[in-house]
Amino acid sequence: MNKLALATHFIRRELKERYRGSFTGFGWALLQPLLQLAIYAFVFVQIFKARVPGAGAPGYVPFLVVAMWPWIAFSEAIFRSTTAIQDNAALIGKVALPRALLVLAPCAASFFLHGVGFLAILAVLSISGHGIEMIKVPLALLLYVPMFAYAFGICLTLAALQVFVRDLVQIIGQLLTLMMFAAPIFYDRTNLPERFQVLLDLNPFTFYVEGMRNLLLGYGEFPWHGLLIAILVAGLTLAFGLWLFRRLDPHFEDFL
């Protein structure tokens, strides 16, 4: 079996495991984001009265959603993939396979599931008149390419280290929370004092947040200055992740 067939097999297995025993099955991938959308609309708009600054700004719900769902895909991919080698310890040493595929499966499954949910939410927002520029959705989805490469590089690094440092997954949960609030997902950069706004660019995910909002909502300017940096960071992170994973791979069996 070639690597592509193996990767497809493990991704399918991951998807089946996530919805095993679920009444709605894969349909939950569509129902869950729609339910979350309803919750966000009620909590942030009706209770917190959140607004986006600036004349002609979009409503807060689409402003939040087009940034939040890429983040959910990114963060879940990292969190689930961190324990991928540890969770598949029974296969290590018994089956000859590229072990990076064990990390790829939860990473790719997270992006696939939340990508489907993202498209469903965009369609609902567009139909309900929230100004989603559906013609630019393919361009927005292209941003998922460097985002996935960046995430997969992190996943490979953390999955390899988790074999030797078992409490790493608990630390990662806290770091992901910090990274989320250090990106302008819940707020616009203009909400911050000007001297702090530049610090947002130190977070690689800021590019994806502001890029999505520009493409899908026409909000702000597209961060062209950050595109090359995002691609470079994604490439370097993936290259480092592959290098470290291959370097530590021979020692996995001794610690599992």
Side-chain angles (χ1 to χ4, degrees):
M1 188 179 291
N2 60 39
K3 290 184 178 180
L4 179 59
L6 272 174
T8 303
H9 167 74
F10 281 114
I11 293 171
R12 285 178 176 173
R13 188 188 72 162
E14 177 72 20
L15 292 172
K16 289 179 181 178
E17 286 294 325
R18 292 196 187 192
Y19 292 101
R20 177 175 294 177
S22 172
F23 178 75
T24 59
F26 184 70
W28 186 244
L30 296 176
L31 291 175
Q32 183 182 26
L34 295 177
L35 288 173
Q36 285 182 282
L37 175 61
I39 293 171
Y40 286 152
F42 177 74
V43 172
F44 285 100
V45 176
Q46 301 301 324
I47 298 179
F48 292 127
K49 308 296 183 182
R51 297 291 184 269
V52 181
Y60 187 77
V61 171
F63 175 86
L64 174 63
V65 163
V66 299
M68 176 61 79
W69 255 260
W71 169 257
I72 291 175
F74 176 83
S75 59
E76 183 181 288
I78 292 174
F79 193 77
R80 285 183 174 269
S81 297
T82 296
T83 59
I85 300 300
Q86 182 182 334
D87 293 341
N88 289 278
L91 290 176
I92 303 297
K94 296 181 180 179
V95 181
L97 54 85
R99 292 166 181 173
L101 295 182
L102 299 175
V103 182
L104 175 65
C107 182
S110 294
F111 269 82
F112 174 75
L113 288 173
H114 293 295
V116 171
F118 189 43
L119 291 174
I121 283 182
L122 292 179
V124 170
L125 289 174
S126 178
I127 293 171
S128 59
H130 281 87
I132 300 294
E133 298 185 24
M134 296 299 289
I135 195 171
K136 293 184 179 179
V137 168
L139 291 176
L141 293 179
L142 283 178
L143 295 185
Y144 272 75
V145 177
M147 190 197 308
F148 178 81
Y150 178 47
F152 187 43
I154 296 175
C155 291
L156 287 168
T157 300
L158 297 178
L161 293 176
Q162 170 70 16
V163 175
F164 309 98
V165 186
R166 295 301 177 90
D167 56 353
L168 182 62
V169 67
Q170 280 76 33
I171 300 172
I172 294 306
Q174 302 305 313
L175 291 177
L176 285 172
T177 300
L178 177 62
M179 187 178 182
M180 178 181 69
F181 286 109
I185 295 174
F186 292 93
Y187 56 89
D188 184 74
R189 69 165 61 222
T190 58
N191 291 121
L192 298 178
E194 190 171 348
R195 64 181 181 276
F196 293 128
Q197 292 179 21
V198 67
L199 297 178
L200 294 176
D201 295 321
L202 297 177
N203 185 344
F205 205 80
T206 294
F207 163 77
Y208 299 104
V209 170
E210 296 183 338
M212 287 289 182
R213 284 177 178 151
N214 174 261
L215 291 173
L216 296 174
L217 298 173
Y219 183 75
E221 297 182 0
F222 187 84
W224 291 105
H225 62 283
L227 178 59
L228 182 60
I229 295 175
I231 294 173
L232 181 62
V233 168
L236 290 175
T237 304
L238 180 58
F240 176 79
L242 288 168
W243 172 81
L244 183 66
F245 191 89
R246 289 167 180 167
R247 187 74 180 269
L248 298 179
D249 190 337
H251 307 288
F252 287 164
E253 293 178 47
D254 297 332
F255 288 84
L256 289 174

